């Protein structure tokens, strides 16, 4: 039975549900393939394409000219009209021309010279020609087209009409003629026009049509294929598939190899996706994939690669009985064929396309590991990630060639790459590939396209609940989309960001972006956006609820109600909307539970607040449900305990003169406090929001944080910001004075940097380099969504309302219990072994400690071994996990400190201390050295000695502690990332006569 890993891999590599391409997407792709015809000098394919297109879209009465195009045997024309006696009696000729029209086609890049020369040649051979239509694969500027057309009329009296590459591409996007592009260009089967499913006349017509095996036209095949795909993707049409597939089967005998291959491809995919049975077409796989070595077109190779992936998925679902060895062999054949073609002298566009397919095939590389099932198989998901990394390497190389191929379908690649974010976003190189793709896409299509792809990656990550990755992509999308043309994005992306921040338990950041969404919706001159303004405030209220700011929840609902009433155009009741229902539920719970806080407040909320908002009746209707949910809650302490169980702050934390917020992020426990007045709260909440955003940005950087509690007390003053240190051996405590003006994100970044510098063990120069690098990446662009937080706060909350709620609090008799909001695990800082940990280096250092401490305790250790209390301490400490080298190191430090205190005066200088330490540590213990009393080696003193020695151990590892008063528990936790309490070496037991350990 295959593992869950196999299922995830299958899902990650399964081809997308065919949805079709928009006309704009198709036009760009066709334009690229027309360019590839030019590179391949494929005159005949272009001539045939233009002939069939002209017959369908210009005149039906066309006949090819004679003679090869490249040789000039056609006297300048490639096809021309012929006379129709009476077009009225035949519908086919109803649109035929009434006079002689000559058509010419060219792939030449020097289109001016070619057009001028062909006009002269055509008129010399066809003096009666009244009109010339010229098809060029090149893009010809409108002014130049106009100049050439006017010159032809003026010089020769002949009407000239030019269809250049972009015009041809647009014409071919129509589903009625797209088959022409598929027949003569290298178009993969998964590239096709998106149909309007609201009109099914075309489908019904194809379903009821009769098949005539003796008349197999290409255009009819592509119509049948469209119907098959439509039926496959609409479950209610699956019963039509057998009939439609039978129509397809006839085309597997077509004399055109491309048509016959596509007929089988469509049959297999429709049978698998629509009927979930490939029994009848499984045998055809060997024939379809047996000619891989003969394939030349990139589209055919891509179809083969996609089909192999379909087979892999079918294999895991037990829908095919083909051996995996055969599937692997087919996959390797395609890769080998691609490598053969890549060795040839080919265009950058063709090379890019081949490498694109190769990367796609590498995504299924995991099946070889899955099938082999070798001992020591990679851990969960690792095989998928390795396959993704191989594909990414190929695609990074591909981008170098894409730069030289301006018409390469980069948008399609970017869209597919975005869809891979959930499965491969954590692969090495994915972020680099996404950024480089975005950069190239922005150069070609503008920053809006960059925003689109980032938004798609964010959605993919969010679907997979990879919230932190989604935050990164949404910030890129938001920064790139902030233009007048993308007004909707400036409202919805911040709202999406707010929801994701909330999912990560960063509720202050969530509130910032929620208010920014409402602010943008109100300020942008667009009534449709203003109708969405209330949504951000509803999300802000939910964030306040999670942060324990119950009174601000009520203010958020009040502001949202005002916006909804001002800008709403009616329609369904907003209470039916999930966001409204959620905040109304929070509000009613606050109203009910306010009786645990203050009778005055409860009376105000029920009698004034709800009445003013017209919610009294709704509250009464909801009351039975609230009473049921509060059945086991009889006091505020029980109410607070319920909130803590839900992972949020206790309610009514904003009802006191002092306000606090507590959360864990980046390995630190943050405790922020401030005076709870209107202006300080606006600044403090903004400070917390910016701090959370900044810390989330640097989460993936190894900052070597010494875990600690960080207490920051915020207050406002009239000067520039200041930081004042409060000494403590247990916590990092700072008083921060913020300017009364709007809080600059740079100030918060400076404060965060100062705090992090205190708790980071990396050398100061390295730390500053990390911070500078983050600055270069634009970290501060994330911290000012539309307006400073204080402006947003004052925009939607009134100082009089803030004061009014507090006025009805009365004399509070409740107490907010201690709490700590746990953020998403990816935001809690680096865990596990440190990247710089090396086991061999650790063991070498331990051997040296054994050797050195044995000499430093040469006479003291025998005395300790004979002292029963010390032996008891050793037993206890070993039970606690101490290694022998820990005990020796602690004992050595007790001896060191005793000698220092006995030989130096209390006012000795640091230089004297250092000189004596070096003297003692530089030689073995002598019998004449001062001998510490044995009662100095108590278990408490041993613990204290080891704790103080850890700072030296930290420095020996190349790190340091920059706090004036180090938090020793943090140093101990950090050393744990270097296996400080795990590593040991074989050694003689120093405490029982040298028995080996």
């Amino acid at each position: 039975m295959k593992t869950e890993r196999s299922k995830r891999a299958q899902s990650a590599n399964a081809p997308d549900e065919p949805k079709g391409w928009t006309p704009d997407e198709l036009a760009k792709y066709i334009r690229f393939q027309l360019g590839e015809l030019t590179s391949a000098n494929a005159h005949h394919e272009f001539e045939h394409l233009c002939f069939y297109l002209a017959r369908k879209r210009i005149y039906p009465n066309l006949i090819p000219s004679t003679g090869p195009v490249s040789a000039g045997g056609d006297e300048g024309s490639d096809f021309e009209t012929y006379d129709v006696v009476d077009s009225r009696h035949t519908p086919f000729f109803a649109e035929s021309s009434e006079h002689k029209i000559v058509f010419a086609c060219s792939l030449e890049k020097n289109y001016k010279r070619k057009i001028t020369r062909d006009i002269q040649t055509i008129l010399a051979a066809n003096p009666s020609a009244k009109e010339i239509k010229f098809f060029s694969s090149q893009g010809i500027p409108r002014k130049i087209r106009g100049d050439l057309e006017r010159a032809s009329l003026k010089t020769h009296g002949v009407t000239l009409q030019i269809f250049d590459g972009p015009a041809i591409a647009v014409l071919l996007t129509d589903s009625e003629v797209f088959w022409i592009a598929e027949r003569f260009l290298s178009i993969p089967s998964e590239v096709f026009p998106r149909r309007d499913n609201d009109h099914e006349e075309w489908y019904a017509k194809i379903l009821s049509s009769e098949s005539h095996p003796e008349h197999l036209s290409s255009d009819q095949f592509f119509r049948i294929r469209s119907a098959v795909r439509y039926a496959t993707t609409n479950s209610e049409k699956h019963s039509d598939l057998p009939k439609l597939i039978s129509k397809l089967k006839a085309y597997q005998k077509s004399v055109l190899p491309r048509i016959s291959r596509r007929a089988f491809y469509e049959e297999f995919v429709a049978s698998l996706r629509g009927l979930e049975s490939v029994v009848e077409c499984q045998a055809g796989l060997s024939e379809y994939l047996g000619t891989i070595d003969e394939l030349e077109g990139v589209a055919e190779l891509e179809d083969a690669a996609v089909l192999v992936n379909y087979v892999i998925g079918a294999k895991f679902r037990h829908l095919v009985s083909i051996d995996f060895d055969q599937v692997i062999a087919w996959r390797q054949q395609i890769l080998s064929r691609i490598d053969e073609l890549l060795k040839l002298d080919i265009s950058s566009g063709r090379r890019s396309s081949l490498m694109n397919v190769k990367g796609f095939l590498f995504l299924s590389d995991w099946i070889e590991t899955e099938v082999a099932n070798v001992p020591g198989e990679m851990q969960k998901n690792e095989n998928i990630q390795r396959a993704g990394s191989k594909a990414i390497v190929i695609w990074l190389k591909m981008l170098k060639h894409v730069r030289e191929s301006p018409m390469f379908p980069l948008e399609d690649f970017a869209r597919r790459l975005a869809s891979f974010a959930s499965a491969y976003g954590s692969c090495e190189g994915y972020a680099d590939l996404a950024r480089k793709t975005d950069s190239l896409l922005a150069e070609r299509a503008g920053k809006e396209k960059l925003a689109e792809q980032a938004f798609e990656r964010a959605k993919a990550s969010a679907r997979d609940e990879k919230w932190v990755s989604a935050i990164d992509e949404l910030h890129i999308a938001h920064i790139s989309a902030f233009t007048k043309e993308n007004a909707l994005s400036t409202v919805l992306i911040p709202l999406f960001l707010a929801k994701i921040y909330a999912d990560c338990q960063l509720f202050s950041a969530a509130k910032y972006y929620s208010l920014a969404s409402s602010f943008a919706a109100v300020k942008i001159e667009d009534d449709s956006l203003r109708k969405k303004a209330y949504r951000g405030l509803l999300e802000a209220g939910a964030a306040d609820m999670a942060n324990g700011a119950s009174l601000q929840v009520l203010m958020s609902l009040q502001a949202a109600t005002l916006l909804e009433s001002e800008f709403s155009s009616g329609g369904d009741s907003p209470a039916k909307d999930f966001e409204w229902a959620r905040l109304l539920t929070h509000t009613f719970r606050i109203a009910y539970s306010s009786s645990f806080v203050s009778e005055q407040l409860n009376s105000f909320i029920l009698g004034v607040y709800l009445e003013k908002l017209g919610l009294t009746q709704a509250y009464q209707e909801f009351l039975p449900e609230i009473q049921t949910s509060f059945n086991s809650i009889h006091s505020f302490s029980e109410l607070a305990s319920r909130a803590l169980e839900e992972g949020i702050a206790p309610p009514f934390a904003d009802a006191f003169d002092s306000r606090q917020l507590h959360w864990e992020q980046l390995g630190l426990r943050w405790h922020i406090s401030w005076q709870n007045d209107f202006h300080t709260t606006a600044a403090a909440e903004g400070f917390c929001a910016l701090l959370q955003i900044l810390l989330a940005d640097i989460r993936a950087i190894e900052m070597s944080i010494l875990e600690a509690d960080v207490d920051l007390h915020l207050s406002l003053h009239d000067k520039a910001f200041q930081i004042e240190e409060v000494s403590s051996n247990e916590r990092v405590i700072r008083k921060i004075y913020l300017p009364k003006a709007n809080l600059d994100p740079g100030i918060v970044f400076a404060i965060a940097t100062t705090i992090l510098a205190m708790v980071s063990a990396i050398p100061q120069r390295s730390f500053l380099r990390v911070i500078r690098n983050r600055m270069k990446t634009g970290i501060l662009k994330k911290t000012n969504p539309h307006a400073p937080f204080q402006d947003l706060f004052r925009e939607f909350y009134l100082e009089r309302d803030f004061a009014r709620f507090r006025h009805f609090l009365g004399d509070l008799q409740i107490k907010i219990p201690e709490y700590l909001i746990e953020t998403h695990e990816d935001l809690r800082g680096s865990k596990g072994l440190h990247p710089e940990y090396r086991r061999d280096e650790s063991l070498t250092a331990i051997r040296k400690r054994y050797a050195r401490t044995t000499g430093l305790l040469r006479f003291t250790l025998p005395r300790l071994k004979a002292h029963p209390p010390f032996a008891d301490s050793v037993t206890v400490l070993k039970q606690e996990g101490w290694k022998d080298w820990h005990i020796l190191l602690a004992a050595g430090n007790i001896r060191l400190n005793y000698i220092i205190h006995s030989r130096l005066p209390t006012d000795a200088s640091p230089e004297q201390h250092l000189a004596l330490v070096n003297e003692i540590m530089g030689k073995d213990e002598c019998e004449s050295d001062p001998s510490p009393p044995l009662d100095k080696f108590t278990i408490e003193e041993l613990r204290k000695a080891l704790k103080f020695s850890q700072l030296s151990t930290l420095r020996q590892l190349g790190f340091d502690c920059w706090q004036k008063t180090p938090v020793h528990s943090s140093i101990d936790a950090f050393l744990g990332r270097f296996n400080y309490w795990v590593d040991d070496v074989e050694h003689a037991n120093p405490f029982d006569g040298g028995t080996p350990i």
Side-chain angles (χ1 to χ4, degrees):
M1 183 176 179
K2 293 298 177 182
T3 63
E4 284 297 316
R5 182 175 61 255
S6 306
K7 296 176 183 177
R8 278 191 297 274
Q10 173 196 341
S11 173
N13 294 280
D16 293 335
E17 187 78 27
K19 296 178 181 178
W21 289 35
T22 66
D24 182 58
E25 292 168 342
L26 280 177
K28 291 178 181 177
Y29 194 86
I30 294 170
R31 184 77 185 86
F32 167 67
Q33 293 298 342
L34 288 173
E36 290 305 290
L37 287 183
T38 302
S39 300
N41 206 23
H43 296 287
H44 287 294
E45 285 80 358
F46 185 60
E47 178 185 335
H48 292 322
L49 180 149
C50 295
F51 174 75
Y52 283 103
L53 179 61
R55 283 188 67 185
K56 284 289 185 181
R57 284 292 177 260
I58 304 177
Y59 297 120
N61 57 322
L62 294 179
I63 188 171
S65 302
T66 57
V69 177
S70 57
D74 52 18
E75 298 180 322
S77 69
D78 295 309
F79 44 94
E80 57 193 41
T81 58
Y82 58 86
D83 294 336
V84 178
V85 177
D86 190 350
S87 62
R88 293 172 298 176
H89 298 300
T90 308
F92 179 78
F93 292 116
E95 301 297 328
S96 60
S97 65
E98 297 179 356
H99 52 262
K100 188 74 167 181
I101 300 175
V102 178
F103 293 74
C105 313
S106 174
L107 296 173
E108 284 193 24
K109 294 182 179 180
N110 191 341
Y111 48 79
K112 283 185 179 181
R113 181 182 63 185
K114 175 62 174 173
I115 292 173
T116 302
R117 188 174 60 200
D118 275 7
I119 290 174
Q120 295 172 349
T121 305
I122 289 169
L123 292 178
N126 298 277
S128 62
K130 300 295 183 182
E131 189 175 348
I132 298 174
K133 296 190 183 292
F134 192 91
F135 289 83
S136 171
S137 65
Q138 306 301 310
I140 305 176
R142 181 165 55 182
K143 184 180 183 305
I144 295 178
R145 290 202 309 271
D147 291 344
L148 289 169
E149 289 169 352
R150 285 188 292 272
S152 174
L153 189 61
K154 180 178 179 180
T155 306
H156 304 288
V158 173
T159 300
L160 171 67
Q161 185 177 16
I162 299 173
F163 294 85
D164 66 350
I168 295 170
V170 170
L171 288 172
L172 288 170
T173 61
D174 192 301
S175 57
E176 187 180 348
V177 295
F178 184 69
W179 65 269
I180 299 172
E182 292 188 285
R183 179 169 173 181
F184 298 108
L185 300 177
S186 186
I187 307 288
S189 294
E190 297 307 306
V191 177
F192 61 95
R194 186 175 298 171
R195 274 196 179 271
D196 183 0
N197 293 347
D198 293 336
H199 306 288
E200 295 190 3
E201 294 86 351
W202 66 272
Y203 175 77
K205 184 177 180 181
I206 294 172
L207 185 64
S208 61
S209 65
E210 295 294 329
S211 297
H212 301 286
E214 65 277 12
H215 301 297
L216 301 177
S217 65
S218 298
D219 59 340
Q220 183 64 11
F221 165 74
F222 289 110
R223 290 192 184 97
I224 295 172
R225 187 193 69 169
S226 294
V228 169
R229 291 191 169 193
Y230 177 63
T232 301
T233 55
N234 290 274
S235 57
E236 69 274 12
K237 304 292 183 185
H238 282 181
S239 58
D240 295 338
L241 279 173
K243 183 176 181 179
L244 289 168
I245 288 175
S246 68
K247 296 176 185 291
L248 271 181
K249 282 181 175 291
Y251 286 86
Q252 293 181 27
K253 299 178 180 179
S254 171
V255 296
L256 299 174
R258 187 177 295 183
I259 297 294
S260 63
R261 288 182 62 80
R262 292 203 170 186
F264 175 78
Y265 177 97
E266 297 297 334
E267 179 192 356
F268 187 89
V269 174
S271 299
L272 178 63
R273 283 190 176 273
L275 302 178
E276 296 192 357
S277 173
V278 291
V279 174
E280 294 187 13
C281 53
Q282 175 178 311
L285 285 170
S286 297
E287 181 180 352
Y288 181 90
L289 296 169
T291 58
I292 292 171
D293 293 342
E294 303 169 10
L295 299 181
E296 295 286 343
V298 178
E300 294 176 306
L301 287 166
E302 183 172 335
D303 283 354
V306 172
L307 199 65
V308 166
N309 262 21
Y310 274 124
V311 173
I312 292 172
K315 178 68 177 174
F316 277 106
R317 293 166 60 192
H318 307 289
L319 297 177
V320 293
S321 56
I322 300 170
D323 290 339
F324 249 124
D325 289 342
Q326 178 62 72
V327 180
I328 292 171
W330 284 333
R331 180 178 165 277
Q332 289 296 339
Q333 269 187 286
I334 301 172
L335 286 170
S336 297
R337 182 56 179 161
I338 290 173
D339 286 339
E340 288 176 8
L341 295 174
L342 285 172
K343 293 176 183 177
L344 303 178
D345 183 16
I346 54 179
S347 69
S348 295
R350 182 170 168 82
R351 188 172 300 279
S352 299
S353 298
L354 288 168
M355 295 178 78
N356 187 15
V357 178
K358 184 175 181 178
F360 176 72
L361 273 170
F362 273 175
L363 292 180
S364 58
D365 192 64
W366 58 271
I367 65 168
E368 299 192 20
T369 303
E370 187 73 25
V371 173
N373 197 26
V374 296
E377 186 182 5
M378 292 177 290
Q379 292 182 352
K380 185 178 180 181
N381 251 356
E382 197 170 313
N383 49 357
I384 302 175
Q385 300 301 299
R386 179 174 293 181
S389 296
K390 289 183 68 174
I392 287 166
V393 169
I394 292 296
W395 285 329
L396 282 168
K397 293 178 180 177
M398 177 194 77
L399 286 184
K400 298 178 181 178
H401 300 286
V402 171
R403 286 192 172 277
E404 300 171 6
S405 178
M407 296 312 299
F408 178 84
L410 187 61
E411 286 183 46
D412 175 54
F413 173 75
R415 186 167 55 247
R416 182 180 292 187
L417 183 63
S419 72
F420 291 156
S422 61
Y424 303 108
S426 58
C427 287
E428 181 180 357
Y430 179 89
D432 185 36
L433 176 62
R435 296 292 86 81
K436 288 181 177 178
T437 302
D438 284 351
S439 176
L440 187 54
L441 193 60
E443 289 178 19
R444 295 185 178 182
K447 291 181 67 176
E448 292 80 5
K449 286 296 179 184
L450 188 155
E452 286 179 18
Q453 298 311 318
F455 189 63
E456 289 301 317
R457 290 194 294 271
K459 290 194 294 185
S461 295
R463 282 193 297 269
D464 207 36
E465 296 187 359
K466 294 183 177 179
W467 308 123
V468 180
S469 297
I471 286 174
D472 290 341
E473 297 298 346
L474 282 172
H475 274 298
I476 294 173
H478 182 240
I479 293 167
S480 303
F482 191 54
T483 65
K484 185 177 180 180
E485 293 74 18
N486 276 308
L488 183 63
S489 297
T490 67
V491 174
L492 295 185
I493 291 178
L495 188 62
F496 194 0
L497 259 171
K499 293 177 182 293
I500 302 297
Y501 271 124
D503 285 327
C504 291
Q505 303 285 89
L506 296 177
F507 299 114
S508 296
K511 182 173 182 178
Y512 195 172
Y513 271 92
S514 297
L515 296 181
S517 174
S518 289
F519 182 83
V522 170
K523 297 300 181 182
I524 294 174
E525 297 293 332
D526 186 330
D527 289 340
S528 65
L529 291 178
R530 286 175 172 168
K531 294 173 186 176
K532 304 177 187 296
Y534 71 90
R535 297 183 63 190
L537 281 164
L538 295 178
E539 195 66 35
D544 281 329
M545 187 72 179
N547 267 342
S550 302
L551 302 183
Q552 287 196 45
V553 173
L554 305 181
M555 293 171 65
S556 293
L557 178 63
Q558 181 174 289
T561 303
L562 178 64
L563 286 182
E564 199 277 336
S565 64
E566 184 175 351
F567 298 120
S568 175
S569 59
D572 292 337
S573 169
K576 295 180 180 179
D577 185 271
F578 167 76
E579 290 142 330
W580 277 104
R582 178 180 57 170
L583 196 60
L584 286 173
T585 300
H586 291 332
T587 300
F588 294 157
R589 291 180 183 277
I590 289 170
Y592 183 84
S593 61
S594 63
S595 61
F596 297 132
V597 178
S598 162
E599 288 300 330
Q600 282 182 271
L601 179 63
N602 182 250
S603 298
F604 169 72
I605 294 174
L606 296 180
V608 179
Y609 174 80
L610 293 180
E611 183 69 28
K612 180 181 177 181
L613 296 183
L615 296 174
T616 300
Q617 182 179 345
Y619 174 74
Q620 292 299 327
E621 293 173 354
F622 195 65
L623 188 58
E625 184 176 332
I626 297 177
Q627 290 171 332
T628 300
S629 67
F630 276 69
N631 188 45
S632 60
I633 298 176
H634 305 95
S635 66
F636 178 79
S637 61
E638 292 174 347
L639 179 66
S641 297
R642 170 78 66 86
L644 297 182
E645 291 171 2
E646 295 175 0
I648 61 176
F652 298 100
D654 60 341
F656 298 83
D657 291 337
S658 178
R659 173 94 182 273
Q660 297 182 8
L661 274 179
H662 310 271
W663 76 92
E664 181 184 14
Q665 192 176 2
L666 209 64
L668 300 168
R669 294 170 293 278
W670 298 88
H671 311 279
I672 317 296
S673 61
W674 65 90
Q675 189 67 26
N676 192 22
D677 60 77
F678 181 79
H679 295 289
T680 307
T681 294
E685 286 195 357
F687 177 90
C688 293
L690 291 170
L691 183 60
Q692 290 181 351
I693 294 168
L694 291 167
L695 294 177
D697 180 82
I698 61 176
R699 73 191 182 279
I701 302 172
E702 178 54 72
M703 301 291 288
S704 299
I705 296 294
L706 301 175
E707 295 182 2
D709 287 277
V710 179
D711 293 6
L712 305 179
H713 180 74
L714 310 179
S715 59
L716 299 182
H717 70 172
D718 295 320
K719 303 177 183 178
F721 91 91
Q722 294 177 339
I723 302 178
E724 181 180 308
E725 180 176 353
V726 179
S727 296
S728 171
N729 282 101
E730 301 300 327
R731 311 169 77 87
V732 176
I733 305 176
R734 298 292 185 274
K735 291 182 178 180
I736 298 176
Y737 300 92
L738 300 172
K740 289 183 178 179
N742 276 341
L743 188 60
D744 185 343
I747 291 178
V748 181
F749 188 68
I751 294 171
T753 300
T754 301
I755 300 298
L756 291 175
M758 290 293 117
V759 297
S760 173
I762 60 180
Q764 292 285 293
R765 184 173 295 179
S766 299
F767 176 83
L768 292 174
R769 183 166 58 248
V770 169
I771 297 302
R772 281 196 297 269
N773 288 339
R774 294 315 297 171
M775 292 288 287
K776 290 178 182 178
T777 62
I779 183 174
L780 292 180
K781 291 181 180 179
K782 299 180 177 182
T783 58
N784 199 1
H786 307 332
F789 184 90
Q790 285 131 300
D791 281 353
L792 300 178
F793 191 88
R794 290 188 288 260
E795 178 78 20
F796 299 111
Y797 306 122
L798 300 179
E799 186 172 3
R800 68 167 184 267
D801 290 333
F802 190 92
R804 191 180 187 194
F805 279 108
R806 294 182 54 75
H807 174 74
F808 289 99
L809 288 171
D811 185 17
L812 297 181
Q813 300 298 317
I814 62 172
K815 182 180 179 181
I816 301 297
E818 293 184 0
Y819 71 91
L820 186 72
I821 295 175
E822 294 186 356
T823 55
H824 191 279
E825 59 183 356
D826 290 345
L827 297 170
R828 297 177 196 168
S830 302
K831 303 291 183 182
L833 290 177
H834 196 282
E836 294 187 25
Y837 167 75
R838 301 291 181 272
R839 178 172 168 77
D840 56 340
E841 295 177 4
S842 174
L843 298 182
T844 298
I846 291 171
R847 291 189 187 94
K848 290 180 179 179
R849 289 192 190 107
Y850 275 121
R852 192 73 207 99
T853 53
T854 301
L856 292 172
L857 297 170
R858 182 179 177 188
F859 293 97
T860 298
L861 186 57
R863 293 172 57 232
L864 289 171
K865 288 160 60 177
H867 186 56
F870 178 78
D872 293 340
S873 296
V874 169
T875 300
V876 172
L877 292 174
K878 284 190 173 185
Q879 289 173 348
E880 293 177 0
W882 284 46
K883 306 299 182 186
D884 286 342
W885 64 266
H886 293 130
I887 299 172
L888 292 172
L889 189 60
N893 274 280
I894 291 175
R895 172 181 172 264
L896 175 66
N897 288 328
Y898 177 80
I899 296 175
I900 290 174
H901 289 133
S902 65
R903 290 178 55 177
L904 288 179
T906 56
D907 60 349
S909 68
E911 290 75 18
Q912 289 174 304
H913 273 272
L914 181 61
L916 183 56
V917 168
N918 288 336
E919 177 189 333
I920 297 170
M921 298 298 291
K923 63 179 183 178
D924 288 349
E925 183 181 18
C926 299
E927 193 169 3
S928 59
D929 288 343
S931 182
L934 295 180
D935 60 7
K936 292 285 187 182
F937 295 87
T938 64
I939 194 168
E940 292 79 12
E941 290 299 320
L942 287 167
R943 288 190 178 115
K944 186 188 298 182
L946 185 66
K947 179 171 67 176
F948 282 102
S949 75
Q950 287 181 327
L951 184 57
S952 176
T953 304
L954 182 73
R955 288 169 177 158
Q956 289 170 12
L957 290 170
F959 299 95
D960 210 336
C961 178
W962 308 104
Q963 303 166 30
K964 293 180 181 178
T965 51
V967 179
H968 293 287
S969 60
S970 302
I971 297 174
D972 179 72
F974 181 75
L975 291 178
R977 299 185 62 199
F978 287 83
N979 272 351
Y980 181 84
W981 293 101
V982 175
D983 286 350
D984 202 356
V985 297
E986 185 176 340
H987 61 281
N989 190 330
F991 306 117
D992 71 348
T995 304
I997 295 179

